[in-house]
């Protein structure tokens, strides 16, 4: 896919993620023991041969910038092309704040204009999935589409979460006939994954038109408005996919990685997932360790009991501590005889001796970054 | 501007007493400690001590080392001025010349050193497991206005005969050097870590190169020559963990030191990290029936069986019902269901079938290489395939690349060896 450039959108504040996104954008959420959400789309792009990638940021992007660095972990520290990061900026024509996706893209029109790839792939940064985009491009070209939108059958999400998606209807040829953004009563389970492919020239003219009308949202003001006059097609994706938009989905996604089939799909098939390295020593298990059905990252030191959980790098679990159905992020320390069930413990938290934390499977308890409990 | 100090890292060690572990790689490239290679310790020590210019001298089986070190990125040594440089033997004029000894290797690369016009040169060995701040040793060297400083470690008097022993005055000044003395006068063993004032070393390297009798070795020739000339030489006492993992037993022991509750050698110190190229693998997974105790486990592993007192490298898969005890399993190996492994070293990318037993019965010295395989530890070479239901004794050596067909029997008694196509070494 040498003729395609990538744009990753990491804007949009996901209020459904509560404390977890106070300090970081949802694309920077830690997942799977050592990754951040954006690693998946970045690796997908790199594995598809895309070498010109722009990341558009908006909310609390410090941790995202820190994570991405020069892009060398994704082999994107290139002399020509590579990784570009676009935070909001102030100028005569820019308010210093992106009002929506189209506005964000329009403000970085220079990047689009300066690039010379024929196609642009636009994707959100906060989704966990593994996909090679070549088939999508092939499909787009075959159907002579103007825009192709990737969707999947979202029936594996609870019904109440369906109405958080853009829901679409398609005709027999695959053309999108109706698109509703976050409908109260979804008519189908065909949810948009927020991944679009189109010609770069077309995108530029659509964005210029949008800006001329004072519009700013790509879905509302471009996709939906142009359904009648452009060939907009849907491309069905059959694999695992989760968007980090609410606490329950975030929690579920991490726990689902304990399933060997999902782990296999995400990490073994269709290329590797790259992330920033931390140079931790291997995980160390002491005599009292009892670990079952869990993902454990490097640098952990475990003396307690861990079940059905995900432990990120450098977590220590003291003797007698019990961690069940929980997610514990980097460098947190769980004290002796502490006990937690259905909890999400953010980075660098200290859970003192004998403390008990308990959430619900449908709404896990959250302990914010750097907290001492 | 010149560098104050640069390091020359001797990485040509063959490590012949590590048997099949060093069949296709040099000793510094042998895997250690769950994710590292032995050379990572010296390289990490360099960067942690502020030495950012390192010449790595390779000779024996350098391919693995070359790809491991690359341009030095993991150690932050991909520098514009300095960084890591691999120095292999090369052709000069008409004839090519191998490195004839450690001193000769440095002598042949004098132009590399001169390029940085350093005041001091550290000569290090890539064979040892230790964490050491060379900058403190350099301070000591400067304080004494020394011309050579040799790092030494106290060893038990009964073992002193195996080392190069430094005899020093109270203040640390060396007056005598004895290589493997029968009747050692002191217990200060040389660690193979030297700091020289470059001007002085250069003079001795040139003199040594002109001598026909010399072995061109630091320990055997350069140091004794300097002692004879009464140069200003000091012994720098190092206190801490230092191991020459030169034998199967020593290698196994040192790996096992890491799994202790409070290890004598700490890899978890954020102020002195050990760097190595990180495998691109997900965090490891322990299955519902898995159990891991007193062990190290690395990224990408999948553990469905039982692991006890062992070191497991990245990408290893241990199937259900398998039991690993007192063993080292290196990268990307697979241990089949219900297999039992006791006191063994399994190299990289080994396929162990189902219902296999390794390390059973009495320990009998290996018949072909008793000097290598004699401590009860069975060693399986890289990429070997062990068929289902095989039973393997102790002190057995299974050669690298051995395939299922190379096993004439499913019972390999203690002390035997299995070779590829029956060939002998």
């Amino acid at each position: 896919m040498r003729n395609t450039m990538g744009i990753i959108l990491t804007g949009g504040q996901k209020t459904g993620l509560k404390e977890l996104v106070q300090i970081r954008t949802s694309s920077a959420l830690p997942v799977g023991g050592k990754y951040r959400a954006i690693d998946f789309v970045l690796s997908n792009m790199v594995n598809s041969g895309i070498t010109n990638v722009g990341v558009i940021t908006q909310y609390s992007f410090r941790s995202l910038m820190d994570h991405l660095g020069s892009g060398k972990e994704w082999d994107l520290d290139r002399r020509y092309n590579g990784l570009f990061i676009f935070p909001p900026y102030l100028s005569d024509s820019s308010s210093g704040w992106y009002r929506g996706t189209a506005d964000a893209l329009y403000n970085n029109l220079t990047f689009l204009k300066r690039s010379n790839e024929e196609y642009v792939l636009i994707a959100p940064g906060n989704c966990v999935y593994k996909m090679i985009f070549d088939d999508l491009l092939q499909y787009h070209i075959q159907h002579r589409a103007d825009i192709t939108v990737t969707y999947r059958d979202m029936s594996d999400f609870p019904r109440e979460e369906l109405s958080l998606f853009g829901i679409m209807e398609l005709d027999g040829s695959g053309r999108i006939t109706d698109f509703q953004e976050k409908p109260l009563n979804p008519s189908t389970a065909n949810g948009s994954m927020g991944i679009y492919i189109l010609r770069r020239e077309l995108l530029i003219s659509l964005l210029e038109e949008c800006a001329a009308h004072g519009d700013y949202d790509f879905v509302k003001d471009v996709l939906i408005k142009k359904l009648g006059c452009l060939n907009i097609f849907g491309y069905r994706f059959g694999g695992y996919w989760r968007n980090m938009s609410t606490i329950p989905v975030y929690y579920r996604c991490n726990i689902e990685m304990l399933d060997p089939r999902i782990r296999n799909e995400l990490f073994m098939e269709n290329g590797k997932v790259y992330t920033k390295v931390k140079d931790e020593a291997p995980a160390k298990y002491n005599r009292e360790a009892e670990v079952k059905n869990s993902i454990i990252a490097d640098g952990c030191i475990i003396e307690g009991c861990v079940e059905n959980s995900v432990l990120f790098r450098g977590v220590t679990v003291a003797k007698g501590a019990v961690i069940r159905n929980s997610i514990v992020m980097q460098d947190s320390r769980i004290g002796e005889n502490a006990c937690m069930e259905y909890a999400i413990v953010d980075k660098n938290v200290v859970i003192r001796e004998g403390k008990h934390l308990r959430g619900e499977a449908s709404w896990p308890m959250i302990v914010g970054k750097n907290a001492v409990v | 501007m010149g560098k104050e100090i640069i390091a020359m890292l001797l990485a040509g060690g063959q490590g012949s007493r590590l048997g099949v572990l060093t069949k296709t790689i040099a000793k510094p490239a042998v895997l250690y400690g769950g994710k590292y290679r032995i050379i990572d310790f010296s390289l990490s020590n360099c960067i942690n001590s502020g030495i950012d210019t390192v010449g790595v001298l390779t000779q024996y089986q350098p391919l693995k080392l070359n790809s491991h070190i690359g341009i030095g990125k993991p150690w932050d040594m991909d520098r514009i001025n300095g960084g890591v440089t691999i120095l292999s033997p090369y052709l000069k004029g008409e004839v090519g010349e191998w490195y004839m000894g450690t001193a000769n290797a440095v002598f042949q690369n004098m132009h590399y050193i001169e390029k940085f016009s350093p005041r001091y040169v550290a000569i290090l060995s890539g064979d040892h497991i230790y964490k050491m701040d060379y900058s403190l040793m350099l301070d000591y060297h400067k304080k004494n206005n020394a011309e050579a400083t040799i790092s030494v470690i106290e060893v038990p008097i009964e073992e002193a005969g195996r080392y190069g022993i430094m005899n020093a005055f109270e203040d640390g000044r060396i007056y005598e050097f004895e290589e493997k003395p029968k009747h050692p006068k002191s217990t200060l063993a040389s660690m193979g870590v030297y700091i020289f004032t470059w001007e002085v070393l250069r003079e001795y390297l040139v003199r040594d190169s002109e001598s026909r009798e010399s072995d061109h070795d630091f320990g055997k020739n350069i140091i004794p020559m300097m002692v004879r000339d009464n140069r200003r030489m000091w012994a720098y006492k190092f206190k801490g963990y230092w191991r020459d993992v030169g034998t199967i037993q020593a290698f196994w022991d040192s790996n096992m030191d890491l799994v202790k509750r409070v290890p004598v050698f700490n890899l978890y110190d954020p102020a002195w990290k050990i760097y190595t190229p990180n495998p691109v693998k997900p965090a490891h997974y322990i299955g519902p029936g898995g159990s891991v105790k007193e062990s190290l486990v690395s990224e990408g592993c999948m553990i469905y069986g039982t692991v006890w007192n062992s070191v497991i490298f990245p990408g290893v898969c241990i199937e259900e019902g398998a039991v690993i005890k007192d063993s080292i399993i290196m990268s990307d190996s697979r241990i089949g269901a219900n297999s039992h492994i006791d006191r063994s070293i399994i190299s990289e990318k080994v396929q162990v079938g189902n219902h296999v037993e390794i390390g059973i019965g009495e320990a009998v010295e290996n018949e072909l290489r008793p000097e290598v395989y004699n401590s009860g530890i069975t060693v399986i070479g890289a990429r070997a395939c062990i068929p289902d239901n095989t039973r393997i004794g102790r002190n057995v050596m299974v050669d690298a690349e051995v395939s299922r067909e190379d096993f004439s029997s499913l019972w390999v008694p203690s002390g035997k060896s299995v070779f590829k196509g029956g060939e002998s070494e």
Side-chain angles (χ1 to χ4, degrees):
Chain A
M1 280 179 78
R2 288 242 166 253
N3 55 349
T4 307
M5 62 185 286
I7 293 187
I8 298 173
L9 300 170
T10 70
Q13 200 175 25
K14 301 286 184 284
T15 47
L17 285 160
K18 311 274 173 193
E19 297 94 322
L20 296 181
V21 290
Q22 272 175 7
I23 45 154
R24 58 173 85 86
T25 165
S26 62
S27 299
L29 275 172
V31 285
K34 64 179 282 199
Y35 302 96
R36 296 202 184 240
I38 197 168
D39 293 340
F40 289 87
V41 64
L42 260 181
S43 301
N44 286 341
M45 285 186 176
V46 169
N47 290 334
S48 305
I50 297 175
T51 54
N52 185 21
V53 179
V55 177
I56 297 183
T57 65
Q58 173 115 314
Y59 290 93
S60 8
F61 50 80
R62 185 207 57 82
S63 68
L64 187 69
M65 305 268 272
D66 175 49
H67 180 69
L68 296 175
S70 64
K72 78 168 177 191
E73 322 284 1
W74 297 270
D75 207 13
L76 287 175
D77 55 333
R78 301 289 182 95
R79 260 219 176 163
Y80 178 69
N81 287 341
L83 181 73
F84 300 89
I85 303 177
F86 302 110
Y89 59 93
L90 263 176
S91 73
D92 288 347
S93 58
S94 169
S95 64
W97 200 243
Y98 303 142
R99 289 171 298 162
T101 42
D103 189 37
L105 290 166
Y106 179 75
N107 271 287
N108 295 294
L109 211 56
T110 324
F111 174 56
L112 283 167
K113 284 185 168 165
R114 263 194 206 159
S115 300
N116 53 15
E117 287 83 357
E118 188 171 359
Y119 297 97
V120 186
L121 180 81
I122 304 172
N126 65 341
C127 299
V128 172
Y129 63 110
K130 195 67 163 294
M131 183 173 178
I132 296 290
F133 297 117
D134 294 74
D135 289 350
L136 168 64
L137 178 62
Q138 197 77 35
Y139 180 94
H140 177 77
I141 294 170
Q142 259 169 19
H143 285 78
R144 297 168 189 280
D146 293 312
I147 305 176
T148 300
V149 182
T150 307
Y151 73 97
R152 76 189 275 281
D153 181 1
M154 300 288 184
S155 357
D156 56 348
F157 280 80
R159 183 137 184 97
E160 66 272 16
E161 286 175 19
L162 267 188
S163 54
L164 297 173
F165 293 113
I167 298 292
M168 54 177 80
E169 283 177 38
L170 303 101
D171 67 13
S173 67
R175 193 173 159 169
I176 300 173
T177 52
D178 189 32
F179 193 108
Q180 293 186 316
E181 182 69 340
K182 302 186 174 124
L184 279 177
N185 291 304
S187 54
T188 71
N190 293 333
S192 163
M193 293 161 65
I195 304 170
Y196 317 108
I197 196 161
L198 68 166
R199 270 179 205 280
R200 188 173 53 89
E201 299 288 342
L202 175 64
L203 177 63
I204 292 170
S205 68
L206 287 170
L207 291 173
E208 279 172 340
E209 189 186 327
C210 222
H213 290 118
D215 293 336
Y216 46 80
D217 190 73
F218 189 76
V219 172
K220 193 163 73 73
D221 302 319
V222 177
L223 271 190
I224 296 178
K225 214 181 243 181
K226 298 281 180 191
L227 269 185
C229 53
L230 288 178
N231 274 330
I232 305 186
F233 275 74
Y235 171 84
R236 191 184 176 95
F237 174 68
Y240 179 85
W241 179 89
R242 293 289 180 264
N243 61 335
M244 304 297 108
S245 58
T246 65
I247 299 275
V249 187
Y250 172 75
Y251 173 76
R252 233 164 46 226
C253 176
N254 277 282
I255 296 296
E256 279 164 352
M257 286 189 194
L258 297 174
D259 182 335
R261 279 166 312 174
I262 291 173
R263 240 184 15 257
N264 199 50
E265 178 183 336
L266 287 178
F267 299 113
M268 306 298 162
E269 291 168 5
N270 293 320
K272 293 173 170 177
V273 184
Y274 302 92
T275 189
K276 185 176 174 181
V277 300
K278 284 275 167 19
D279 298 300
E280 295 277 3
K284 181 164 176 291
Y285 294 80
N286 285 348
R287 189 181 294 252
E288 299 79 7
E290 290 287 350
V291 180
K292 309 271 180 220
N293 191 37
S294 294
I295 288 174
I296 312 286
D298 271 6
C300 288
I301 300 180
I302 301 176
E303 293 187 275
C305 165
V306 182
E307 262 178 54
N308 311 325
S309 297
V310 178
L311 267 52
F312 284 73
R313 293 184 273 214
V315 169
T316 55
V317 182
K319 256 185 265 182
V322 178
I323 299 176
R324 283 204 182 92
N325 307 307
S326 295
I327 296 161
V328 184
M329 295 187 206
Q330 203 176 312
D331 294 331
S332 285
R333 300 202 303 273
I334 314 300
E336 275 185 34
N337 301 316
C339 182
M340 64 170 77
E341 209 163 341
Y342 300 110
I344 299 174
V345 175
D346 209 318
K347 283 167 81 167
N348 218 9
V349 164
V350 178
I351 308 288
R352 289 217 208 90
E353 280 173 35
K355 288 283 173 198
H356 285 246
L357 306 176
R358 206 189 147 85
E360 297 292 330
S362 56
W363 201 266
M365 181 173 181
I366 297 173
V367 183
K369 190 173 173 181
N370 301 329
V372 179
V373 179
Chain B
M1 204 188 96
K3 297 258 177 192
E4 185 185 29
I5 182 165
I6 73 166
M8 298 297 272
L9 181 52
L10 302 162
Q14 195 172 338
S16 52
R17 282 181 306 155
L18 286 172
V20 70
L21 294 178
T22 47
K23 190 186 179 198
T24 56
I25 54 179
K27 182 180 167 193
V30 170
L31 287 165
Y32 171 89
K35 73 183 276 196
Y36 309 99
R37 294 187 189 270
I38 293 172
I39 196 170
D40 292 340
F41 292 87
S42 306
L43 275 176
S44 301
N45 285 343
C46 282
I47 201 71
N48 289 336
S49 306
I51 300 178
D52 64 5
T53 305
V54 181
V56 179
L57 298 149
T58 63
Q59 170 147 302
Y60 174 80
Q61 298 276 17
L63 185 65
K64 196 80 200 178
L65 269 182
N66 292 351
S67 70
H68 179 72
I69 294 169
I71 57 166
K73 241 179 188 176
W75 302 273
D76 207 12
M77 287 202 195
D78 50 332
R79 299 295 177 92
I80 289 171
N81 178 17
V84 67
T85 309
I86 296 192
L87 304 167
S88 311
Y90 55 94
L91 274 166
K92 289 161 268 290
E94 301 280 297
V95 286
E97 205 180 339
W98 291 103
Y99 295 150
M100 286 176 292
T102 50
N104 180 253
V106 176
F107 172 75
Q108 288 199 38
N109 288 288
M110 276 197 345
H111 59 285
Y112 169 80
I113 301 173
E114 301 274 68
K115 196 171 77 172
F116 299 101
S117 36
R119 282 214 60 179
Y120 308 101
V121 173
I123 305 291
L124 311 169
S125 151
D127 282 2
H128 302 136
I129 305 292
Y130 66 119
K131 295 195 289 186
M132 179 174 179
D133 191 341
Y134 304 131
S135 71
L136 300 177
M137 181 172 167
L138 179 61
D139 291 345
Y140 181 82
H141 181 85
K142 287 195 253 182
K143 190 190 86 190
N144 292 318
N145 200 16
E147 290 164 315
T149 300
I150 296 158
S151 185
V152 294
I153 188 160
E154 294 251 11
V155 293
I157 187 86
E158 56 275 15
E159 285 177 28
R162 288 170 33 209
Y163 296 93
I165 296 295
M166 297 291 160
N167 299 322
F169 297 115
E170 199 97 309
D171 66 350
R173 181 150 184 191
I174 295 165
Y175 64 87
E176 191 182 21
F177 170 75
E178 293 179 289
E179 181 74 16
K180 298 186 177 145
K182 285 218 172 61
H183 305 287
K185 289 180 211 144
S186 94
T187 54
L188 298 179
S190 165
M191 294 161 58
V193 173
Y194 315 103
I195 289 179
F196 293 96
T197 301
W198 171 234
E199 274 171 43
V200 179
L201 177 61
R202 184 175 50 199
E203 179 192 327
Y204 277 86
L205 286 174
V206 171
R207 265 171 59 187
D208 173 72
S209 74
E210 287 157 358
S211 156
R212 288 187 167 271
E213 293 85 60
S214 174
D215 289 324
H216 310 292
D217 185 86
F218 275 94
K220 277 187 217 147
N221 308 103
I222 301 285
I223 302 294
M225 212 177 357
M226 289 181 75
V227 172
R228 271 198 306 276
D229 291 356
N230 206 19
R231 302 306 293 234
R232 296 180 59 83
M233 301 170 76
W234 260 263
Y236 175 76
K237 273 192 206 173
F238 173 75
K239 289 193 183 68
Y241 190 88
W242 178 84
R243 293 290 185 279
D244 174 16
V245 289
T247 64
I248 297 281
Q249 176 73 41
F251 177 76
W252 185 90
D253 283 341
S254 180
N255 273 280
M256 291 306 151
D257 283 342
L258 302 172
V259 307
K260 305 269 161 52
R261 181 180 301 280
V262 183
V264 280
F265 190 57
N266 181 13
L267 296 174
Y268 298 86
D269 180 2
W272 203 273
K273 280 196 175 185
I274 307 301
Y275 300 97
T276 192
N278 280 276
V280 182
K281 293 197 157 114
H284 71 263
Y285 173 73
I286 312 286
S291 171
V292 182
K293 288 173 195 292
E294 289 187 86
S295 296
L296 296 189
V297 181
S298 263
E299 293 182 318
C301 290
M302 286 186 280
I303 316 266
Y304 295 95
T306 301
V307 177
W308 201 73
N309 200 47
S310 295
V311 176
I312 314 290
F313 283 74
V316 168
C317 179
I318 294 168
E319 304 280 4
E320 263 172 52
V323 179
I324 315 294
K325 202 168 158 263
D326 303 330
S327 294
I328 298 163
I329 319 271
M330 294 180 180
S331 309
D332 301 315
S333 288
R334 176 186 162 271
I335 312 297
N338 301 309
S339 289
H340 285 229
I341 295 180
D342 185 39
R343 249 181 103 81
S344 298
I345 300 171
I346 313 286
S347 305
E348 288 173 84
K349 301 187 178 75
V350 169
Q351 297 287 325
V352 175
N354 302 329
H355 300 281
V356 171
E357 287 180 81
I358 300 178
I360 49 174
E362 294 284 305
V364 185
E365 275 188 357
N366 189 277
E367 289 171 4
L368 295 172
R369 306 277 310 269
E371 77 287 3
V372 176
Y373 309 101
N374 53 27
S375 54
I377 296 164
T378 283
V379 185
I380 314 286
R383 293 171 296 281
C385 262
I386 316 280
D388 291 351
N389 304 309
T390 311
R391 296 167 67 230
I392 296 175
R394 299 186 194 274
N395 286 328
V396 170
M397 190 283 291
V398 175
D399 201 9
E401 319 270 351
V402 157
S403 65
R404 292 186 172 84
E405 294 73 43
D406 296 320
F407 284 83
S408 52
S409 152
L410 291 182
W411 167 230
V412 183
S414 294
K416 296 288 180 189
S417 304
V418 179
F419 290 100
K420 177 96 186 138
E423 75 185 74
S424 54
E425 286 201 321

